[in-house]
Amino acid sequence: MADSSASAYNDLDPKYRMDGSCWKFVPVISGGFFNEENGDSIFKHHLILLQMQLALIFSLATIIHLFLRHLHLPRLISEVLAGVILGPTVVGRYFPHVSATLFSQQSVRVLSTLTRFGYLFFMFLIGVKMDVNLIRKSGRREWTIGSFVIVFPILFIVTIAKDISLKVDKIDEDSLEWVSLFAGLIMLTSFPVVAILLMHLKIINSELGNLTLSSALISDLISVVIVNLDKFGQLTKLASERVALKSMFLVLTLIMFVVTILRGMIYWIIRRTPEGKPVKDAYLFFVIIALLVVAVVGENAGLQYMYGPFILGLTVPTGHPLASTLIEKLDTIVSGWMLPLMSTYCGFRSDLWELKKRPPSWIIFTITFGVLFKTTCAFIPAICLRVPLKDATAMALMLTSKGIIELGCFATNADKQAIGTQDFTWAVTTVFIFAALVPTVTRQLYDPSRTYRGYQKRTVLNSSLNEGVRMLACAHRKDDALSAIKLLQLSNPFIGTPLSVFGLYLEQLVGGSSPLLLNHQLGQKSCSDGRWQQIIDVFNHFKNHCSKPTQVQVYTAISPQSLMHEDVCWVAFQNSVALIILPFHRKWNRKGKMIADSKELRAFNIKVMNKAPCSVGILVDRDRSRKLPIADKSSTYRVCVLYLGGKDDREALAIGRRMKGWPSVYLTVVRCKEDEDETQKGWESMLDDECLREIKHQSRECNNVVFKEEIVRHGADTSSIVGSLLDENYDLILVGRHSDSNSPLIEGLSAWTELPELGAIGDMLASSEISKSVSVFVVQQQVIRK
């Protein structure tokens, strides 16, 4: 203890020491530029110095990321580079006086302590976000790949690296622990790193993303067991068997206490929190205190300080209310402020000039043959389990990715062991290279959009008469489901081809890092079934009140808001859906007043329309009634199709033709056309005439079908016709999007379009200034992507 105090004393600047027994008091907070005595610098105050360091670190990292983000590199790269610049590689070498002032030895210790504190909370949040149920849901593929990718590399590469270090590099026995740590971490597959990578690549809820994430979770949990068993084995060699057994007993006791007592208290907190209400602050304080106590006790019992909080985080059920509240309260400050300091600190401790020296043979072996062997251990099982070649290669690369977990482990153990600057620099450089290389190569190998590319037409117009029409209705809340089933009821007449309905409840992923896609037809459940039960009830009500047998399946997708459209496209692709029904991002109350305008929902709709493997329609629901449109057989329902020509309008007409099968539905088709000679007709006009031929014939024979033609010269005439339709008191208007149309019929209207995803006509009909109760369905026919 005396040696430690003397060392701390000697680290101080001489002008801040009095003599052998006296200390000059230096306040943490500065009195200001003009209140410093004897020309002292304000940087002698630790708070001022820490604030300056944080400002430099985040400013420099942000500036670097502004340039590197165009290369689609993760922010971790910018943070490490910021540390390298501020460390001995650049500032310490070329501006030593600046480095000595801003990053003195004592101030770096303060910064290091802050990074450890942030890493502790980060590991706790990782445990909270991790869905352990993925293990139970994982199949043979996930278990095989996850086991192969960690067990064989750990057993073979670590052992061979230790032998090379002893026989070739002639290192002493005391340095073997660093060799094991370096080789082990390079062979590690970290679930948080893989999850962050998948989020960065925006493929976490793709088929390959789910397989990779589940395999990484299994691999990570296996590695935790292996690492801690190895640690107890080393403790037996260094101390005694008795000390090792005592440490193991204390660790197991701590784990049992967390899993039983603390887990029980966490569930008690959840039960005490009413549904829809926030968790009380007192309960959150208890969880934070338990987190800190577990970290301290675990460190003293022989468990690394971050594993105790990680285990505690695993006991918190994912989702609402506790996990989502903890992430909401802690994630911003931990992931956005504390955690980046860890990667910057690792870059700061590195010295790239040390790389000029020849590295030890065991390091060369680990980062070349070792990484190749690990990639092969992931690739071969994937190929044997019939994963496509490019997908297997991309998955193998992602399972070898490195990131903040490896950097945190290197930094934590570097302070405990006598690690040279060269070895630490090689460790950080290896992580840096993989963090930059893996996303770049994976993006070239795996393009998720190619999954939906095809040549099969999946539209209502081209649907088979025998198989019928398959429609997917998306809902973010109960009102969306109610709006969708009105349209589905109209599209399912007693006479006509059968209709298959797929309901998809979309929920934002909060309090977890593992997206879910549940098929309730198969009885799949999760810990929050109550939130989507009302959606299931709406679709079951529709099924029970159909006039003929109708197939109905309901799914639930829980994923990040930015990737939610992938679930919609995947469900549509898997079930050969012809039409996706999306809710409009604006909502009206029963008085006709707009009450909601969601930018997130609008962005979601645009993404679906750009990527969907079938036709898409956005339903603008202004209907103020809550009953099904055909429930009352004595009432009538007026539907209008505004037909300007083109594939989108042909798809809208195909939907309208299904609705006329109801005797109580009155269908009006208004065709707008130019006054031109028949000789000027092209292929599109011929297709339009063919689609309208049946409607023209039925308008002469059926009382509930009306066909009109209007001669239009320019966009102003079309706008007048749209206004007249609103005066006709229709219940529903169907219109095509006309996304790629240069027709004179809409000339000049596009310049005033507020919502381009609806097209010029759809934008006019969906205007927030319209107070009438007319609903609008804007249709985009499938876009064939080659």
Side-chain angles (χ1 to χ4, degrees):
M1 185 68 181
D3 294 339
S4 176
S5 301
S7 175
Y9 179 78
N10 292 330
D11 286 340
L12 290 174
D13 195 301
K15 63 183 178 181
Y16 300 136
R17 300 201 302 257
M18 300 292 290
D19 53 49
S21 60
C22 299
W23 297 74
K24 180 180 179 181
F25 175 71
V26 180
V28 175
I29 302 175
S30 170
F33 282 103
F34 304 104
N35 294 326
E36 296 297 333
E37 299 176 356
N38 302 323
D40 288 341
S41 170
I42 62 170
F43 295 117
K44 69 182 180 182
H45 304 282
H46 288 301
L47 182 59
I48 293 294
L49 199 53
L50 179 61
Q51 291 172 336
M52 182 61 69
Q53 289 170 350
L54 295 177
L56 278 174
I57 288 170
F58 285 104
S59 299
L60 185 57
T62 302
I63 292 172
I64 295 173
H65 188 63
L66 287 176
F67 293 97
L68 295 186
R69 67 179 181 178
H70 299 292
L71 302 177
H72 304 288
L73 293 175
R75 191 175 178 87
L76 177 80
I77 301 298
S78 304
E79 293 161 359
V80 174
L81 286 177
V84 169
I85 293 172
L86 296 174
T89 304
V90 179
V91 175
R93 185 180 182 90
Y94 298 104
F95 308 97
H97 297 294
V98 176
S99 180
T101 302
L102 293 179
F103 296 96
S104 63
Q105 189 172 358
Q106 188 68 19
S107 67
V108 171
R109 289 177 181 172
V110 175
L111 188 63
S112 174
T113 303
L114 187 59
T115 62
R116 303 294 190 281
F117 199 68
Y119 193 66
L120 181 149
F121 275 90
F122 172 71
M123 290 302 294
F124 170 70
L125 289 179
I126 286 299
V128 172
K129 295 177 181 180
M130 188 179 290
D131 186 7
V132 186
N133 290 324
L134 273 180
I135 298 178
R136 179 173 53 84
K137 299 171 185 175
S138 300
R140 183 169 62 95
R141 290 200 308 175
E142 290 83 355
W143 275 99
T144 303
I145 296 171
S147 302
F148 269 67
V149 81
I150 188 64
V151 174
F152 292 107
I154 287 287
L155 291 179
F156 289 106
I157 301 302
V158 175
T159 304
I160 296 174
K162 289 165 68 175
D163 289 341
I164 292 175
S165 66
L166 288 173
K167 297 177 181 178
V168 179
D169 298 313
K170 307 296 182 182
I171 68 171
D172 51 42
E173 293 283 345
D174 296 335
S175 300
L176 276 181
E177 188 176 353
W178 167 248
V179 177
S180 299
L181 175 69
F182 182 94
L185 285 175
I186 298 302
M187 294 301 103
L188 176 70
T189 295
S190 173
F191 173 83
V193 171
V194 174
I196 292 171
L197 173 62
L198 292 172
M199 288 286 290
H200 174 71
L201 295 173
K202 299 180 180 180
I203 58 173
I204 193 169
N205 52 356
S206 64
E207 184 181 19
L208 180 63
N210 289 327
L211 176 62
T212 306
L213 196 66
S214 299
S215 302
L217 176 60
I218 293 169
S219 176
D220 202 359
L221 294 180
I222 292 175
S223 68
V224 170
V225 176
I226 294 175
V227 167
N228 284 282
L229 289 177
D230 180 68
K231 184 177 179 180
F232 289 121
Q234 293 179 3
L235 188 60
T236 303
K237 296 178 182 179
L238 296 174
S240 66
E241 187 174 334
R242 180 182 177 183
V243 173
L245 290 175
K246 181 181 178 180
S247 177
M248 182 177 292
F249 172 76
L250 292 174
V251 169
L252 291 176
T253 303
L254 176 63
I255 293 175
M256 291 300 297
F257 177 78
V258 172
V259 173
T260 56
I261 306 300
L262 291 182
R263 182 171 179 266
M265 299 183 73
I266 286 172
Y267 274 88
W268 178 82
I269 291 173
I270 294 174
R271 289 194 299 269
R272 293 277 296 178
T273 304
E275 186 174 354
K277 299 291 183 180
V279 180
K280 293 181 179 179
D281 289 341
Y283 296 152
L284 297 178
F285 293 151
F286 166 77
V287 175
I288 299 301
I289 293 171
L291 157 68
L292 298 175
V293 171
V294 168
V296 173
V297 174
E299 178 77 7
N300 286 275
L303 194 67
Q304 286 201 7
Y305 76 97
M306 64 272 197
Y307 281 122
F310 174 72
I311 295 171
L312 177 62
L314 288 176
T315 63
V316 180
T318 56
H320 302 281
L322 186 57
S324 59
T325 304
L326 287 170
I327 292 173
E328 180 184 356
K329 299 286 186 182
L330 298 175
D331 198 42
T332 300
I333 192 170
V334 173
S335 300
W337 178 52
M338 290 183 172
L339 191 62
L341 292 178
M342 176 62 76
S343 49
T344 305
Y345 175 73
C346 290
F348 177 83
R349 286 197 53 173
S350 305
D351 186 358
L352 297 186
W353 298 103
E354 292 287 333
L355 299 181
K356 295 171 67 176
K357 303 176 184 178
R358 186 182 183 278
S361 301
W362 64 268
I363 289 183
I364 298 176
F365 167 79
T366 303
I367 62 179
T368 53
F369 181 80
V371 172
L372 181 62
F373 181 73
K374 180 177 176 63
T375 307
T376 305
C377 286
F379 177 78
I380 292 178
I383 289 294
C384 294
L385 293 169
R386 298 182 180 179
V387 177
L389 179 63
K390 283 191 175 181
D391 291 3
T393 307
M395 185 188 65
L397 284 174
M398 288 188 287
L399 290 176
T400 60
S401 60
K402 301 289 171 276
I404 190 62
I405 296 296
E406 290 78 11
L407 289 178
C409 291
F410 281 134
T412 300
N413 288 274
D415 292 336
K416 296 180 179 180
Q417 306 172 23
I419 300 173
T421 304
Q422 183 190 21
D423 289 349
F424 187 81
T425 303
W426 271 108
V428 175
T429 303
T430 303
V431 174
F432 179 88
I433 292 173
F434 277 93
L437 194 62
V438 170
T440 305
V441 178
T442 303
R443 188 176 280 107
Q444 299 298 321
L445 288 173
Y446 181 71
D447 179 12
S449 63
R450 77 169 187 264
T451 306
Y452 312 122
R453 292 174 186 168
Y455 304 95
Q456 181 181 359
K457 289 187 177 181
R458 292 178 178 173
T459 65
V460 177
L461 182 64
N462 298 102
S463 295
S464 169
L465 294 176
N466 296 326
E467 296 182 1
V469 179
R470 294 167 171 250
M471 295 187 181
L472 172 63
C474 301
H476 299 268
R477 57 184 190 175
K478 185 178 179 179
D479 288 346
D480 296 335
L482 291 171
S483 300
I485 64 171
K486 296 176 189 176
L487 184 64
L488 293 170
Q489 180 77 0
L490 288 168
S491 304
N492 191 33
F494 184 77
I495 301 174
T497 57
L499 177 70
S500 298
V501 174
F502 302 89
L504 179 59
Y505 170 54
L506 297 160
E507 181 179 338
Q508 185 176 358
L509 178 64
V510 179
S513 58
S514 306
L516 293 174
L517 180 61
L518 306 175
N519 185 351
H520 298 291
Q521 196 75 9
L522 303 178
Q524 294 178 339
K525 297 181 179 180
S526 184
C527 59
S528 53
D529 292 348
R531 294 200 304 278
W532 56 65
Q533 186 58 48
Q534 55 183 346
I535 307 294
I536 299 175
D537 293 340
V538 169
F539 284 102
N540 286 337
H541 175 78
F542 163 74
K543 181 178 180 180
N544 296 332
H545 286 78
C546 285
S547 58
K548 61 183 179 182
T550 303
Q551 179 187 1
V552 177
Q553 290 188 39
V554 185
Y555 294 83
T556 292
I558 306 175
S559 59
Q561 180 71 43
S562 59
L563 301 177
M564 205 174 279
H565 63 284
E566 293 285 354
D567 291 316
V568 177
C569 296
W570 177 251
V571 173
F573 178 77
Q574 284 288 88
N575 294 286
S576 301
V577 167
L579 177 67
I580 299 173
I581 303 173
L582 301 175
F584 191 47
H585 65 275
R586 290 174 178 170
K587 307 294 179 186
W588 290 264
N589 60 14
R590 295 189 178 185
K591 296 181 180 180
K593 182 180 179 182
M594 191 174 71
I595 56 175
D597 189 354
S598 173
K599 295 180 180 179
E600 293 79 11
L601 184 54
R602 182 191 174 193
F604 160 79
N605 289 344
I606 293 174
K607 290 177 182 178
V608 174
M609 297 187 82
N610 290 337
K611 205 170 185 177
C614 59
S615 297
V616 184
I618 296 180
L619 178 59
V620 183
D621 183 26
R622 293 195 186 94
D623 190 358
R624 295 161 194 173
S625 66
R626 293 300 178 191
K627 63 181 181 179
L628 294 177
I630 315 299
D632 185 3
K633 296 184 179 179
S634 61
S635 62
T636 60
Y637 199 83
R638 303 185 64 195
V639 179
C640 175
V641 178
L642 181 59
Y643 196 97
L644 276 69
K647 62 176 185 178
D648 293 341
D649 279 352
R650 290 194 289 271
E651 187 72 0
L653 181 62
I655 298 171
R657 282 202 305 240
R658 289 188 61 87
M659 297 180 181
K660 69 178 177 58
W662 290 104
S664 56
V665 172
Y666 286 81
L667 175 65
T668 301
V669 179
V670 179
R671 184 187 187 186
C672 299
K673 59 180 296 185
E674 298 179 73
D675 187 12
E676 56 184 354
D677 298 334
E678 294 292 327
T679 56
Q680 296 178 343
K681 284 189 176 183
W683 178 250
E684 288 291 325
S685 297
M686 295 174 62
L687 291 176
D688 291 335
D689 291 340
E690 184 64 28
C691 287
L692 290 168
R693 181 176 301 174
E694 181 184 355
I695 289 294
K696 290 180 180 179
H697 175 73
Q698 291 176 345
S699 66
R700 293 190 290 268
E701 297 185 355
C702 301
N703 295 327
N704 66 334
V705 179
V706 177
F707 178 79
K708 300 179 180 179
E709 279 191 349
E710 300 284 351
I711 302 300
V712 175
R713 294 169 298 174
H714 42 65
D717 291 346
T718 305
S719 180
S720 299
I721 293 174
V722 172
S724 65
L725 294 181
L726 295 174
D727 296 332
E728 293 289 338
N729 294 322
Y730 288 108
D731 297 294
L732 175 66
I733 298 178
L734 301 172
V735 63
R737 180 189 177 193
H738 303 283
S739 58
D740 55 353
S741 176
N742 296 316
S743 170
L745 301 178
I746 57 175
E747 183 181 1
L749 298 180
S750 301
W752 303 96
T753 300
E754 181 185 3
L755 306 172
E757 67 272 17
L758 299 182
I761 305 300
D763 180 76
M764 295 173 60
L765 293 170
S767 172
S768 57
E769 298 177 358
I770 298 176
S771 59
K772 295 188 177 183
S773 60
V774 56
S775 297
V776 181
F777 192 53
V778 182
V779 183
Q780 172 187 277
Q781 195 182 65
Q782 177 193 14
V783 179
I784 302 295
R785 299 172 179 86
K786 300 181 180 181

